[in-house]
Amino acid sequence: MPDADAQPVDAGPFGKWLAAMRAVLRGERDADVPCGNCIGCCVSSYPIPLRPEDVRARAEVPEAFLLGRTGSGERWLMGFREDGRCPFMNERKCGIYADRPQTCRDYDCRIYAAAGLVPDGERPVIEQRVREWVFTFESDAQRAEAAAVRRAARFVRANAALFPASVRAGSATAAAVLAVKAYPVFMAEVAAPPEQLVRRMLELVREFDAAQ
Ligand code: SF4
Ligand code: SF4
């Protein structure tokens, strides 16, 4: 739904963004988001996974905000303050920017705009920014890719129950990530049965992940 307060913010050329986002998802680079004054990620009640490589961040998290292991091995979650702010957020700045967790480095809210989604939960600051992003298109090929990403995301949202539970396709984030990884399946209007499209998406996702 259009937001009356939304002011357009340049998200950059779609093709360049898509290639960079795919590289981020492959672990080849950090995200480079023109956030400007937005601090949505850091004030939106996000528990942040701490990966094994987040050694310095993990060492600095106050005990009260370490929520415990997730899954197996040394995986922890960093909690947030009662008002939703990250414990490292001071005066609108990250107190451990140089050592911030990899999850913070990977986050790019333009993925929701590209997929035509907003994050799950009550995250109005991020939602506002997602509605503000406007991509530019340098070719019809980029427009076709953008349309395919949106079709893929819509498909995942409508058919989440057909995906394996491990994919957690019911979340907006997972739908957006799946769409960015497997959008080529939707480069043309696809009339195949949903089960077949799910299989093709999962094949592409496996290939994408194997290329990491
Ligand atoms: S919500 Fe988006 S624009 Fe805002 S800080 Fe996070 S990534 Fe940057
Ligand atoms: S660690 Fe820094 S970048 Fe990450 S959520 Fe906290 S304040 Fe934001």
Side-chain angles (χ1 to χ4, degrees), residues 162-184:
L162 297 180
F163 287 80
S166 59
V167 177
R168 296 183 186 149
S171 81
T173 302
V177 169
L178 284 166
V180 165
K181 289 182 177 179
Y183 73 90

Side-chain angles (χ1 to χ4, degrees), residues 9 31 33-42 44 46 104 106-110 112 119 125-127 129-130 133:
V9 178
V33 190
C35 300
N37 291 327
C38 182
I39 52 171
C41 301
C42 313
S44 295
Y46 266 130
C104 305
D106 291 346
Y107 195 92
D108 183 343
C109 67
R110 290 174 294 181
Y112 299 105
V125 181
I126 300 178
E127 193 170 327
R129 175 50 68 102
V130 168
W133 288 124

Side-chain angles (χ1 to χ4, degrees), residues 41-42 48 78 86 88-89 94 96 100-101 104:
C41 301
C42 313
I48 296 180
M78 177 171 71
C86 170
F88 289 121
M89 175 51 66
C94 173
I96 57 160
R100 66 198 187 285
C104 305

